[in-house]
Amino acid sequence: MAQENAAFSPGPEEPPRRRGRQRYVEKDGRCNVQQGNVRETYRYLTDLFTTLVDLQWRLSLLFFVLAYALTWLFFGAIWWLIAYGRGDLEHLEDTAWTPCVNNLNGFVAAFLFSIETETTIGYGHRVITDQCPEGIVLLLLQAILGSMVNAFMVGCMFVKISQPNKRAATLVFSSHAVVSLRDGRLCLMFRVGDLRSSHIVEASIRAKLIRSRQTLEGEFIPLHQTDLSVGFDTGDDRLFLVSPLVISHEIDAASPFWEASRRALERDDFEIVVILEGMVEATGMTCQARSSYLVDEVLWGHRFTSVLTLEDGFYEVDYASFHETFEVPTPSCSARELAEAAARLDAHLYWSIPSRLDEKVEEEGAGEGAGEEAGEGAEQNGCLPPPESESKV
């Protein structure tokens, strides 16, 4: 019966599963935010150049082709209407007739002449005559507008091709962040590296804590952003990114993790967004790389494996170990509790050292008093005559 009851009795309760947090910034740097219910869509047209640059490549190519094709068709139709209105199409075989455009015998020929005019090809078969003032005006308009369309579209494609977004793909962040001791203080650390030989100039690093909070008045602020100091005051946030670097955030009284222990950190819900900015050495354009760390990606009591070794005349970086960490002894208490324990230890040492010195002085004083008494007794026993006997002599 006991075995049957044990078989049917519920087992130990499983710990509640943690609900997966939606990332604010993906690991590859893409912001996981979509703009919805935007009613003032005309604002996109006020900055048409940026709108075209931000389009996806397939849409940009489609717009590029349509811009030229529609322009050629539009002016080709106008050339055909001029020829039709002047009666050039009815006097194709009349050698005495001076048309607006020689050898323009239909819409296809007008379309080809439009392409030749806008692209300045000039094959020489179809040419405009001096007996067509409306054609001369149209020729000037098409030349000017064609140059504007050409400059606009080529400029968009050039900016889109030269965007430094792909340069950010060779800037890598460690897959995990770690928490361990550095110089006796708890620090949150992550690693960054550059895979290319051409370096990032004026590189700087920032870190943001994304966590919802509620004010004292009861206002709920979703995805509240808090700065994590990574050396702005000391200049350590400006990087010379030649080899992988470990970026450290010291958990002090100004840190939002000041009172977070290991257990409290595991129960918390937050996201750390790291941003690396700098100029591409080859092009001089500004580049930005982003990544993020969720609670499950912060390892307490770990340290990064070294990836830099000294070879014969150079330093070698082993990126195979870039994401590797190893465990180190780390207290599980919060940084505040660790600082208080260190302060108590310092206070104990401060008060214990003077008391020990006082005891030593008292012992030395007692020893000197005993020595003087022993010396006086020895003199009185006949080693030296007392001073009174000398005066009598």
Side-chain angles (χ1 to χ4, degrees), residues 17-23 269 294 296:
R17 293 185 178 179
R18 189 185 191 89
R19 183 181 178 183
R21 189 184 193 281
Q22 181 64 51
R23 285 186 180 274
D269 187 16
L294 297 180
D296 300 335

Side-chain angles (χ1 to χ4, degrees), residues 107-119:
F107 181 78
V108 176
F111 177 70
L112 294 176
F113 179 71
S114 175
I115 296 176
E116 296 175 13
T117 302
E118 189 165 334
T119 58

Side-chain angles (χ1 to χ4, degrees), residues 313-360:
F314 62 93
Y315 293 95
E316 183 178 3
V317 178
D318 181 18
Y319 276 99
S321 306
F322 181 82
H323 302 284
E324 293 182 0
T325 63
F326 61 95
E327 294 187 12
V328 292
T330 305
S332 299
C333 62
S334 65
R336 178 179 180 178
E337 295 172 345
L338 184 63
E340 291 175 352
R344 287 194 299 267
L345 180 61
D346 293 341
H348 175 71
L349 294 175
Y350 176 79
W351 290 108
S352 62
I353 291 176
S355 61
R356 293 178 182 176
L357 291 176
D358 293 340
E359 293 176 358
K360 185 175 182 181

Side-chain angles (χ1 to χ4, degrees), residues 103-163:
N103 301 313
L104 197 152
N105 54 9
F107 181 78
V108 176
F111 177 70
L112 294 176
F113 179 71
S114 175
I115 296 176
E116 296 175 13
T117 302
E118 189 165 334
T119 58
T120 64
I121 294 176
Y123 290 114
H125 183 64
R126 281 175 287 269
V127 293
I128 189 171
T129 62
D130 56 358
Q131 303 298 322
C132 183
E134 61 270 28
I136 296 174
V137 174
L138 181 61
L139 179 65
L140 294 175
L141 290 176
Q142 186 173 6
I144 295 173
L145 293 178
S147 299
M148 294 175 61
V149 171
N150 191 40
F152 189 82
M153 297 309 303
V154 171
C156 286
M157 298 304 293
F158 176 77
V159 172
K160 192 171 183 64
I161 292 172
S162 60
Q163 275 185 322

